[in-house]
Amino acid sequence: QVQLVESGGGLVQAGDSLRLSCAASGRTFSSYAMGWFRQAPGKERDFVAAISWSSSNTRYATRYGDSVKGRFTISRDNAKNTVYLQMNSLKPEDTAVYYCAADPQPRTIPAMRREDYYYWGQGTQVSVSS
């Protein structure tokens, strides 16, 4: 069982930056691939970014949605049981509720489908004004 709690959301202006955090409970955090998804009002929950589980060499694989490539960066700190999403050059279309998710499968390449993530946080609101 993994519990996820997101934080760091807020209201910012276009061009600003935010860093989201997702704190995970449990001793097996390093064995989970972690992902970020977002959902705007009236829209589907879309993939944002993902990072692979920890291996012995601690080199992680990452994946990004097309709309955030070059602006967002996902990272993890296994000692703190936390995954981060650094969001730069924010745009009004980035406005959404951002969800953290955990995938217990030992994938070398992290998944991009919602269906592959088993545990979910409650979400944190990010609002970007123009």
Side-chain angles (χ1 to χ4, degrees):
Q1 184 76 13
V2 175
Q3 293 185 324
L4 304 173
V5 179
E6 302 96 335
S7 62
L11 173 63
V12 298
Q13 294 186 330
D16 286 350
S17 297
L18 273 178
R19 188 177 80 158
L20 305 183
S21 300
C22 173
S25 65
R27 294 178 293 176
T28 57
F29 173 75
S30 63
S31 67
Y32 291 92
M34 300 297 296
W36 286 97
F37 290 75
R38 67 186 182 186
Q39 188 167 17
K43 296 189 176 181
E44 296 287 319
R45 189 171 297 189
D46 292 333
F47 172 76
V48 175
I51 188 166
S52 63
W53 66 293
S54 175
S55 60
S56 58
N57 62 7
T58 68
R59 291 182 66 86
Y60 305 109
T62 57
R63 302 180 79 178
Y64 295 93
D66 288 342
S67 63
V68 306
K69 284 179 181 177
R71 298 189 298 124
F72 291 10
T73 302
I74 189 170
S75 62
R76 65 189 299 161
D77 185 338
N78 291 333
K80 296 181 178 179
N81 277 16
T82 301
V83 63
Y84 303 98
L85 185 68
Q86 177 67 43
M87 305 185 295
N88 298 329
S89 302
L90 282 161
K91 304 175 181 180
E93 50 264 43
D94 294 319
T95 295
V97 177
Y98 283 70
Y99 296 92
C100 173
D103 173 10
Q105 296 299 316
R107 306 179 203 277
T108 55
I109 302 297
M112 298 175 65
R113 301 188 312 161
R114 294 193 308 270
E115 295 77 9
D116 291 322
Y117 289 83
Y118 191 77
Y119 302 102
W120 291 84
Q122 294 300 307
T124 185
Q125 176 70 47
V126 172
S127 299
V128 185
S129 64
S130 58

